[in-house]
mmCIF file of all heavy atoms in Angstrom:
data_model
loop_
_atom_site.group_PDB
_atom_site.id
_atom_site.type_symbol
_atom_site.label_atom_id
_atom_site.label_comp_id
_atom_site.label_asym_id
_atom_site.label_seq_id
_atom_site.Cartn_x
_atom_site.Cartn_y
_atom_site.Cartn_z
ATOM 1 N N ALA A 16 109.590 26.325 -11.871
ATOM 2 C CA ALA A 16 108.504 27.036 -12.571
ATOM 3 C C ALA A 16 107.788 26.171 -13.602
ATOM 4 O O ALA A 16 106.665 26.458 -13.971
ATOM 5 C CB ALA A 16 109.053 28.292 -13.229
ATOM 6 N N GLY A 17 108.452 25.168 -14.105
ATOM 7 C CA GLY A 17 107.813 24.289 -15.077
ATOM 8 C C GLY A 17 108.817 23.684 -16.048
ATOM 9 O O GLY A 17 109.577 24.448 -16.601
ATOM 10 N N PRO A 18 108.802 22.371 -16.207
ATOM 11 C CA PRO A 18 108.044 21.411 -15.422
ATOM 12 C C PRO A 18 108.288 21.600 -13.931
ATOM 13 O O PRO A 18 109.346 22.068 -13.529
ATOM 14 C CB PRO A 18 108.535 20.050 -15.912
ATOM 15 C CG PRO A 18 108.970 20.322 -17.327
ATOM 16 C CD PRO A 18 109.533 21.701 -17.297
ATOM 17 N N GLY A 81 101.762 18.787 -28.239
ATOM 18 C CA GLY A 81 102.215 20.083 -28.765
ATOM 19 C C GLY A 81 102.343 21.210 -27.754
ATOM 20 O O GLY A 81 102.835 22.278 -28.090
ATOM 21 N N GLY A 82 101.920 20.984 -26.529
ATOM 22 C CA GLY A 82 102.087 22.009 -25.488
ATOM 23 C C GLY A 82 101.241 23.245 -25.719
ATOM 24 O O GLY A 82 100.453 23.326 -26.667
ATOM 25 N N ALA A 83 101.408 24.219 -24.841
ATOM 26 C CA ALA A 83 100.642 25.460 -24.952
ATOM 27 C C ALA A 83 101.060 26.228 -26.211
ATOM 28 O O ALA A 83 100.233 26.882 -26.850
ATOM 29 C CB ALA A 83 100.851 26.329 -23.718
ATOM 30 N N SER A 84 102.324 26.131 -26.571
ATOM 31 C CA SER A 84 102.822 26.898 -27.732
ATOM 32 C C SER A 84 102.113 26.506 -29.023
ATOM 33 O O SER A 84 101.936 27.334 -29.911
ATOM 34 C CB SER A 84 104.327 26.705 -27.868
ATOM 35 O OG SER A 84 104.968 27.164 -26.692
ATOM 36 N N MET A 85 101.731 25.258 -29.134
ATOM 37 C CA MET A 85 100.967 24.826 -30.315
ATOM 38 C C MET A 85 99.617 25.534 -30.353
ATOM 39 O O MET A 85 99.116 25.884 -31.420
ATOM 40 C CB MET A 85 100.767 23.300 -30.269
ATOM 41 C CG MET A 85 99.895 22.758 -31.357
ATOM 42 S SD MET A 85 100.761 22.779 -32.920
ATOM 43 C CE MET A 85 101.010 21.035 -33.092
ATOM 44 N N GLN A 86 99.063 25.789 -29.168
ATOM 45 C CA GLN A 86 97.760 26.461 -29.109
ATOM 46 C C GLN A 86 97.857 27.923 -29.575
ATOM 47 O O GLN A 86 96.863 28.492 -30.027
ATOM 48 C CB GLN A 86 97.187 26.387 -27.688
ATOM 49 C CG GLN A 86 96.881 24.963 -27.252
ATOM 50 C CD GLN A 86 95.997 24.239 -28.245
ATOM 51 O OE1 GLN A 86 94.979 24.781 -28.677
ATOM 52 N NE2 GLN A 86 96.389 23.043 -28.644
ATOM 53 N N PHE A 87 99.047 28.523 -29.455
ATOM 54 C CA PHE A 87 99.223 29.887 -29.953
ATOM 55 C C PHE A 87 98.828 29.963 -31.433
ATOM 56 O O PHE A 87 98.323 30.981 -31.894
ATOM 57 C CB PHE A 87 100.684 30.364 -29.802
ATOM 58 C CG PHE A 87 101.185 30.464 -28.384
ATOM 59 C CD1 PHE A 87 102.547 30.573 -28.124
ATOM 60 C CD2 PHE A 87 100.300 30.465 -27.303
ATOM 61 C CE1 PHE A 87 103.020 30.679 -26.818
ATOM 62 C CE2 PHE A 87 100.769 30.557 -25.990
ATOM 63 C CZ PHE A 87 102.133 30.660 -25.758
ATOM 64 N N THR A 106 105.973 37.493 -21.727
ATOM 65 C CA THR A 106 106.666 36.735 -22.776
ATOM 66 C C THR A 106 105.724 35.781 -23.504
ATOM 67 O O THR A 106 105.711 35.711 -24.733
ATOM 68 C CB THR A 106 107.819 35.932 -22.146
ATOM 69 O OG1 THR A 106 108.620 36.828 -21.375
ATOM 70 C CG2 THR A 106 108.679 35.247 -23.203
ATOM 71 N N TRP A 107 104.921 35.046 -22.745
ATOM 72 C CA TRP A 107 104.025 34.061 -23.373
ATOM 73 C C TRP A 107 102.916 34.758 -24.155
ATOM 74 O O TRP A 107 102.567 34.340 -25.259
ATOM 75 C CB TRP A 107 103.447 33.106 -22.336
ATOM 76 C CG TRP A 107 104.518 32.283 -21.680
ATOM 77 C CD1 TRP A 107 104.876 32.307 -20.367
ATOM 78 C CD2 TRP A 107 105.394 31.325 -22.309
ATOM 79 N NE1 TRP A 107 105.910 31.427 -20.137
ATOM 80 C CE2 TRP A 107 106.246 30.811 -21.302
ATOM 81 C CE3 TRP A 107 105.535 30.861 -23.623
ATOM 82 C CZ2 TRP A 107 107.238 29.864 -21.571
ATOM 83 C CZ3 TRP A 107 106.505 29.914 -23.890
ATOM 84 C CH2 TRP A 107 107.351 29.414 -22.869
ATOM 85 N N ALA A 108 102.381 35.834 -23.580
ATOM 86 C CA ALA A 108 101.346 36.600 -24.289
ATOM 87 C C ALA A 108 101.910 37.151 -25.594
ATOM 88 O O ALA A 108 101.245 37.119 -26.640
ATOM 89 C CB ALA A 108 100.834 37.737 -23.400
ATOM 90 N N LYS A 110 104.303 35.895 -27.364
ATOM 91 C CA LYS A 110 104.481 34.793 -28.323
ATOM 92 C C LYS A 110 103.154 34.401 -28.961
ATOM 93 O O LYS A 110 103.087 34.082 -30.153
ATOM 94 C CB LYS A 110 105.116 33.583 -27.632
ATOM 95 C CG LYS A 110 106.584 33.818 -27.315
ATOM 96 C CD LYS A 110 107.257 32.563 -26.794
ATOM 97 C CE LYS A 110 108.748 32.837 -26.652
ATOM 98 N NZ LYS A 110 109.483 31.728 -26.057
ATOM 99 N N ALA A 111 102.101 34.412 -28.167
ATOM 100 C CA ALA A 111 100.768 34.086 -28.688
ATOM 101 C C ALA A 111 100.369 35.135 -29.735
ATOM 102 O O ALA A 111 99.863 34.808 -30.818
ATOM 103 C CB ALA A 111 99.750 34.047 -27.558
ATOM 104 N N HIS A 149 92.256 37.639 -26.603
ATOM 105 C CA HIS A 149 93.149 36.668 -25.965
ATOM 106 C C HIS A 149 93.871 37.261 -24.752
ATOM 107 O O HIS A 149 94.456 38.329 -24.829
ATOM 108 C CB HIS A 149 94.200 36.194 -26.984
ATOM 109 C CG HIS A 149 95.158 35.168 -26.435
ATOM 110 N ND1 HIS A 149 96.224 35.485 -25.615
ATOM 111 C CD2 HIS A 149 95.195 33.812 -26.596
ATOM 112 C CE1 HIS A 149 96.876 34.366 -25.291
ATOM 113 N NE2 HIS A 149 96.280 33.347 -25.884
ATOM 114 N N ILE A 150 93.792 36.527 -23.643
ATOM 115 C CA ILE A 150 94.502 36.947 -22.423
ATOM 116 C C ILE A 150 95.370 35.792 -21.899
ATOM 117 O O ILE A 150 95.146 34.634 -22.247
ATOM 118 C CB ILE A 150 93.518 37.377 -21.301
ATOM 119 C CG1 ILE A 150 92.544 36.246 -20.966
ATOM 120 C CG2 ILE A 150 92.768 38.647 -21.696
ATOM 121 C CD1 ILE A 150 91.629 36.521 -19.774
ATOM 122 N N THR A 151 96.320 36.145 -21.072
ATOM 123 C CA THR A 151 97.143 35.155 -20.369
ATOM 124 C C THR A 151 96.858 35.385 -18.895
ATOM 125 O O THR A 151 97.205 36.437 -18.351
ATOM 126 C CB THR A 151 98.643 35.384 -20.672
ATOM 127 O OG1 THR A 151 98.811 35.466 -22.094
ATOM 128 C CG2 THR A 151 99.506 34.275 -20.106
ATOM 129 N N THR A 152 96.169 34.447 -18.253
ATOM 130 C CA THR A 152 95.674 34.749 -16.899
ATOM 131 C C THR A 152 96.766 34.772 -15.850
ATOM 132 O O THR A 152 96.648 35.492 -14.852
ATOM 133 C CB THR A 152 94.577 33.740 -16.468
ATOM 134 O OG1 THR A 152 95.079 32.419 -16.683
ATOM 135 C CG2 THR A 152 93.301 33.954 -17.263
ATOM 136 N N ASN A 153 97.828 33.996 -16.058
ATOM 137 C CA ASN A 153 98.943 34.040 -15.108
ATOM 138 C C ASN A 153 100.241 34.128 -15.890
ATOM 139 O O ASN A 153 100.502 33.287 -16.759
ATOM 140 C CB ASN A 153 98.947 32.806 -14.216
ATOM 141 C CG ASN A 153 100.012 32.881 -13.143
ATOM 142 O OD1 ASN A 153 99.947 33.740 -12.242
ATOM 143 N ND2 ASN A 153 101.019 32.039 -13.230
ATOM 144 N N ASN A 154 101.014 35.156 -15.584
ATOM 145 C CA ASN A 154 102.258 35.386 -16.316
ATOM 146 C C ASN A 154 103.407 34.771 -15.529
ATOM 147 O O ASN A 154 103.988 35.393 -14.638
ATOM 148 C CB ASN A 154 102.409 36.877 -16.588
ATOM 149 C CG ASN A 154 101.242 37.360 -17.441
ATOM 150 O OD1 ASN A 154 101.210 37.116 -18.647
ATOM 151 N ND2 ASN A 154 100.250 37.982 -16.815
ATOM 152 N N THR A 155 103.680 33.549 -15.897
ATOM 153 C CA THR A 155 104.609 32.655 -15.200
ATOM 154 C C THR A 155 105.985 33.287 -14.958
ATOM 155 O O THR A 155 106.599 33.071 -13.928
ATOM 156 C CB THR A 155 104.770 31.378 -16.064
ATOM 157 O OG1 THR A 155 103.502 31.068 -16.643
ATOM 158 C CG2 THR A 155 105.250 30.210 -15.260
ATOM 159 N N ILE A 156 106.435 34.056 -15.933
ATOM 160 C CA ILE A 156 107.784 34.617 -15.866
ATOM 161 C C ILE A 156 107.825 35.869 -14.993
ATOM 162 O O ILE A 156 108.758 36.078 -14.228
ATOM 163 C CB ILE A 156 108.304 34.903 -17.295
ATOM 164 C CG1 ILE A 156 108.526 33.567 -18.018
ATOM 165 C CG2 ILE A 156 109.568 35.760 -17.267
ATOM 166 C CD1 ILE A 156 108.914 33.679 -19.473
ATOM 167 N N ASP A 174 95.001 31.723 -22.071
ATOM 168 C CA ASP A 174 96.100 30.803 -21.770
ATOM 169 C C ASP A 174 96.161 30.691 -20.247
ATOM 170 O O ASP A 174 96.493 31.652 -19.561
ATOM 171 C CB ASP A 174 97.407 31.387 -22.344
ATOM 172 C CG ASP A 174 98.642 30.551 -21.965
ATOM 173 O OD1 ASP A 174 98.507 29.575 -21.211
ATOM 174 O OD2 ASP A 174 99.735 30.894 -22.448
ATOM 175 N N MET A 175 95.792 29.530 -19.736
ATOM 176 C CA MET A 175 95.821 29.299 -18.281
ATOM 177 C C MET A 175 96.853 28.245 -17.911
ATOM 178 O O MET A 175 96.668 27.480 -16.962
ATOM 179 C CB MET A 175 94.433 28.886 -17.771
ATOM 180 C CG MET A 175 93.383 29.961 -17.839
ATOM 181 S SD MET A 175 91.971 29.591 -16.748
ATOM 182 C CE MET A 175 90.865 30.924 -17.214
ATOM 183 N N SER A 176 97.951 28.226 -18.655
ATOM 184 C CA SER A 176 98.975 27.190 -18.429
ATOM 185 C C SER A 176 99.396 27.079 -16.982
ATOM 186 O O SER A 176 99.582 25.990 -16.458
ATOM 187 C CB SER A 176 100.223 27.497 -19.251
ATOM 188 O OG SER A 176 99.968 27.370 -20.621
ATOM 189 N N SER A 177 99.584 28.226 -16.331
ATOM 190 C CA SER A 177 100.211 28.164 -15.007
ATOM 191 C C SER A 177 99.263 28.512 -13.864
ATOM 192 O O SER A 177 99.707 28.612 -12.719
ATOM 193 C CB SER A 177 101.450 29.047 -14.964
ATOM 194 O OG SER A 177 101.161 30.341 -15.438
ATOM 195 N N ASP A 178 97.956 28.663 -14.154
ATOM 196 C CA ASP A 178 97.048 28.839 -12.998
ATOM 197 C C ASP A 178 95.763 28.029 -13.112
ATOM 198 O O ASP A 178 94.875 28.156 -12.253
ATOM 199 C CB ASP A 178 96.764 30.321 -12.703
ATOM 200 C CG ASP A 178 96.028 31.030 -13.817
ATOM 201 O OD1 ASP A 178 95.950 30.482 -14.934
ATOM 202 O OD2 ASP A 178 95.548 32.157 -13.572
ATOM 203 N N TYR A 193 93.116 27.230 -22.718
ATOM 204 C CA TYR A 193 94.110 26.187 -23.010
ATOM 205 C C TYR A 193 95.312 26.344 -22.096
ATOM 206 O O TYR A 193 95.466 27.357 -21.414
ATOM 207 C CB TYR A 193 94.556 26.259 -24.471
ATOM 208 C CG TYR A 193 95.345 27.512 -24.815
ATOM 209 C CD1 TYR A 193 96.743 27.554 -24.611
ATOM 210 C CD2 TYR A 193 94.729 28.654 -25.316
ATOM 211 C CE1 TYR A 193 97.463 28.702 -24.905
ATOM 212 C CE2 TYR A 193 95.458 29.802 -25.605
ATOM 213 C CZ TYR A 193 96.820 29.812 -25.401
ATOM 214 O OH TYR A 193 97.542 30.945 -25.676
ATOM 215 N N GLY A 194 96.159 25.334 -22.124
ATOM 216 C CA GLY A 194 97.400 25.443 -21.356
ATOM 217 C C GLY A 194 98.248 24.217 -21.515
ATOM 218 O O GLY A 194 97.777 23.152 -21.916
ATOM 219 N N GLY A 195 99.524 24.359 -21.217
ATOM 220 C CA GLY A 195 100.421 23.211 -21.139
ATOM 221 C C GLY A 195 100.164 22.555 -19.788
ATOM 222 O O GLY A 195 99.839 23.229 -18.809
ATOM 223 N N ALA A 196 100.325 21.235 -19.725
ATOM 224 C CA ALA A 196 99.994 20.519 -18.483
ATOM 225 C C ALA A 196 101.088 20.599 -17.434
ATOM 226 O O ALA A 196 100.834 20.327 -16.262
ATOM 227 C CB ALA A 196 99.729 19.046 -18.813
ATOM 228 N N GLN A 197 102.286 21.004 -17.829
ATOM 229 C CA GLN A 197 103.457 20.762 -16.964
ATOM 230 C C GLN A 197 103.628 21.722 -15.792
ATOM 231 O O GLN A 197 104.642 21.697 -15.125
ATOM 232 C CB GLN A 197 104.736 20.728 -17.817
ATOM 233 C CG GLN A 197 105.155 22.041 -18.434
ATOM 234 C CD GLN A 197 104.500 22.305 -19.781
ATOM 235 O OE1 GLN A 197 103.459 21.777 -20.089
ATOM 236 N NE2 GLN A 197 105.115 23.151 -20.584
ATOM 237 N N LYS A 198 102.638 22.580 -15.538
ATOM 238 C CA LYS A 198 102.757 23.453 -14.370
ATOM 239 C C LYS A 198 101.865 22.991 -13.221
ATOM 240 O O LYS A 198 102.279 23.074 -12.083
ATOM 241 C CB LYS A 198 102.417 24.898 -14.736
ATOM 242 C CG LYS A 198 103.584 25.684 -15.348
ATOM 243 C CD LYS A 198 103.762 25.702 -16.723
ATOM 244 C CE LYS A 198 104.953 26.412 -17.270
ATOM 245 N NZ LYS A 198 104.677 26.953 -18.584
ATOM 246 N N ALA A 203 105.326 17.172 -18.926
ATOM 247 C CA ALA A 203 105.293 17.867 -20.209
ATOM 248 C C ALA A 203 104.875 16.933 -21.337
ATOM 249 O O ALA A 203 104.982 15.719 -21.219
ATOM 250 C CB ALA A 203 106.653 18.471 -20.492
ATOM 251 N N GLY A 204 104.413 17.522 -22.425
ATOM 252 C CA GLY A 204 104.044 16.738 -23.592
ATOM 253 C C GLY A 204 102.540 16.739 -23.817
ATOM 254 O O GLY A 204 102.034 16.105 -24.735
ATOM 255 N N LEU A 205 101.828 17.472 -22.991
ATOM 256 C CA LEU A 205 100.372 17.453 -23.041
ATOM 257 C C LEU A 205 99.844 18.871 -22.908
ATOM 258 O O LEU A 205 100.361 19.664 -22.126
ATOM 259 C CB LEU A 205 99.867 16.601 -21.863
ATOM 260 C CG LEU A 205 98.364 16.385 -21.737
ATOM 261 C CD1 LEU A 205 97.871 15.498 -22.876
ATOM 262 C CD2 LEU A 205 98.041 15.706 -20.403
ATOM 263 N N ALA A 206 98.820 19.174 -23.675
ATOM 264 C CA ALA A 206 98.095 20.434 -23.480
ATOM 265 C C ALA A 206 96.633 20.091 -23.240
ATOM 266 O O ALA A 206 96.142 19.070 -23.722
ATOM 267 C CB ALA A 206 98.216 21.315 -24.722
ATOM 268 N N ASN A 299 103.381 32.131 -9.045
ATOM 269 C CA ASN A 299 104.799 32.414 -9.298
ATOM 270 C C ASN A 299 105.137 33.703 -8.569
ATOM 271 O O ASN A 299 104.694 34.782 -8.951
ATOM 272 C CB ASN A 299 105.080 32.568 -10.794
ATOM 273 C CG ASN A 299 104.537 31.417 -11.604
ATOM 274 O OD1 ASN A 299 103.458 31.496 -12.177
ATOM 275 N ND2 ASN A 299 105.248 30.310 -11.640
ATOM 276 N N ARG A 337 112.383 33.569 -8.063
ATOM 277 C CA ARG A 337 110.978 33.250 -8.355
ATOM 278 C C ARG A 337 110.662 31.940 -7.649
ATOM 279 O O ARG A 337 111.297 30.912 -7.927
ATOM 280 C CB ARG A 337 110.749 33.097 -9.854
ATOM 281 C CG ARG A 337 109.373 32.502 -10.184
ATOM 282 C CD ARG A 337 109.108 32.452 -11.674
ATOM 283 N NE ARG A 337 110.156 31.756 -12.402
ATOM 284 C CZ ARG A 337 110.099 31.464 -13.708
ATOM 285 N NH1 ARG A 337 109.050 31.847 -14.414
ATOM 286 N NH2 ARG A 337 111.099 30.833 -14.303
ATOM 287 N N TYR A 341 102.913 26.170 -6.916
ATOM 288 C CA TYR A 341 101.791 25.480 -7.546
ATOM 289 C C TYR A 341 101.041 24.626 -6.524
ATOM 290 O O TYR A 341 101.506 24.386 -5.414
ATOM 291 C CB TYR A 341 102.314 24.608 -8.698
ATOM 292 C CG TYR A 341 102.924 25.413 -9.815
ATOM 293 C CD1 TYR A 341 104.253 25.244 -10.202
ATOM 294 C CD2 TYR A 341 102.176 26.382 -10.500
ATOM 295 C CE1 TYR A 341 104.810 25.984 -11.233
ATOM 296 C CE2 TYR A 341 102.724 27.119 -11.538
ATOM 297 C CZ TYR A 341 104.040 26.924 -11.900
ATOM 298 O OH TYR A 341 104.591 27.660 -12.919
HETATM 299 C C1 PLP B 20 104.928 27.484 -19.805
HETATM 300 C C2 PLP B 20 103.956 28.360 -20.470
HETATM 301 C C3 PLP B 20 103.702 28.285 -21.856
HETATM 302 C C4 PLP B 20 104.464 27.357 -22.769
HETATM 303 O O1 PLP B 20 104.089 26.049 -22.603
HETATM 304 P P1 PLP B 20 104.643 24.889 -23.556
HETATM 305 O O2 PLP B 20 103.807 23.736 -23.163
HETATM 306 O O3 PLP B 20 106.094 24.724 -23.223
HETATM 307 O O4 PLP B 20 104.456 25.297 -24.964
HETATM 308 C C5 PLP B 20 102.733 29.103 -22.390
HETATM 309 N N1 PLP B 20 102.049 29.961 -21.621
HETATM 310 C C6 PLP B 20 102.279 30.081 -20.300
HETATM 311 C C7 PLP B 20 101.481 31.059 -19.494
HETATM 312 C C8 PLP B 20 103.235 29.289 -19.689
HETATM 313 O O5 PLP B 20 103.456 29.379 -18.364
#
Side-chain angles (χ1 to χ4, degrees):
S84 300
M85 175 74 108
Q86 296 306 312
F87 296 165
T106 308
W107 297 116
K110 287 187 173 175
H149 181 282
I150 57 174
T151 309
T152 52
N153 185 66
N154 299 284
T155 323
I156 292 175
D174 175 356
M175 292 199 186
S176 293
S177 51
D178 64 346
Y193 67 86
Q197 69 273 23
K198 277 91 184 210
L205 183 68
N299 309 98
R337 169 176 54 174
Y341 296 120

